[in-house]
Amino acid sequence: MNSDTAKEFTADAVVGAALDIARSAGFAFLITSATTPSSGVSARLMQPFAPDDDFIVWLGTSPSSRKVAELQADATATLAYEAVDGAGYVSATCDATIVTDDDARKAHWRDDWTAFFPGGAGGDDFVVLCLRARRLEVVSFAHGITPTPYGVKAAVVVREGTGWHLAP
């Protein structure tokens, strides 16, 4: 692609690329605001459930974890995914909710987590985080999402009401 050629994207194409990348990634960095101003942000590698079509993502964690304390102080989080081919990424700015409902915990449980959460899905040592994306930043060479200037700028969509719209 010529670096001088502007390429137009639709919001649906950007969201579709974001979903493809996130669903195939397997892991993502969860980034939260640190509880002390001098600490900046906290990032940790997580194994999220694949996002649904509305880009809602679920994660399991301990209610006593640093991430829960940080989300109680500031419910904004970012999920960062790398494309499996290494040629793209999704950065999803999300509104996070800490969920203790038994049905939600059971629905978002993996049996191999028992080593980390001995009480299982219903134990006191396990909660789930529900992250609802409100902004997606995407670069994907595989999907042709490479805005001008080529390789320097990401395509951005923001949630407005029930739909996604390209950000200026």
Side-chain angles (χ1 to χ4, degrees), residues 7-89:
K7 185 168 183 180
E8 295 295 321
F9 307 103
T10 65
D12 287 344
V14 175
V15 172
L19 287 168
D20 285 350
I21 291 169
R23 288 173 175 164
S24 63
F27 292 91
F29 280 96
L30 173 65
I31 304 161
T32 55
S33 295
T35 53
T36 58
S38 62
S39 298
V41 297
S42 299
R44 73 283 285 156
L45 190 61
M46 301 282 296
Q47 184 182 20
F49 284 85
D52 68 11
D53 290 343
D54 203 30
F55 217 104
I56 295 173
V57 178
W58 292 83
L59 300 157
T61 192
S62 168
S64 62
S65 67
R66 178 174 41 108
K67 69 185 80 60
V68 166
E70 291 170 350
L71 290 170
Q72 287 171 329
D74 180 351
T76 298
T78 299
L79 286 169
Y81 299 87
E82 180 183 17
V84 292
D85 65 2
Y89 73 92

